[in-house]
Amino acid sequence: MASPTDTFRQLITYAVLTGRDAYGKPSLGPQLAARARVQPSRRLIRDANGNEHLSAHVVYTDAAITLLHRVWLPGEDVADFNRARRPVAVDESVDGSGVVRFRKVWF
C-alpha cells in the first residue's frame, strides 16, 4: 500500500521564529528543507482561537512544522523573510499505532 508521503515531490523551506529584536526584526532558527505537497486551496478555516481565516494553500508534509514556524513555498526567495508564510492551523494525521505520519498545514 502506498504511503501518503510518496506524493511529497516538492520542497519547502521552513524555520522556527525564535524571537524579535528591540526594533521588531524577527530572529529565525536554521532553515531546513522538507519534502511536501503544496496545493492551492480557498477554504474558510478556524484557527486555535476560533478566528476564521480564508486559506490560500494547504501543505502536506512529514516535517514537524508548528504555528511558530515560517514557511517558504517552492520557488520563493528564502533570503526574504517577508516571503515566508505563517501557518494558520496545523492538523496531524496519526496512524493506528499512534504515530504522526504527516501534517496538513494551512496558510
Side-chain angles (χ1 to χ4, degrees), residues 39-98:
Q39 288 184 203
S41 173
R42 296 187 80 66
R43 187 169 173 183
L44 193 61
I45 63 168
R46 290 188 189 272
D47 64 11
N49 296 326
N51 300 319
E52 291 183 341
H53 297 272
L54 181 62
S55 71
H57 289 87
V58 62
V59 173
Y60 298 87
T61 184
D62 53 3
I65 294 176
T66 67
L67 298 177
L68 297 176
H69 284 86
R70 299 300 180 260
V71 179
W72 291 265
L73 298 182
E76 291 182 338
D77 180 8
V78 298
D80 185 0
F81 176 79
N82 295 320
R83 300 295 302 162
R85 297 170 190 252
R86 181 175 165 223
V88 175
V90 179
D91 298 328
E92 294 181 337
S93 178
V94 180
D95 67 8
S97 304

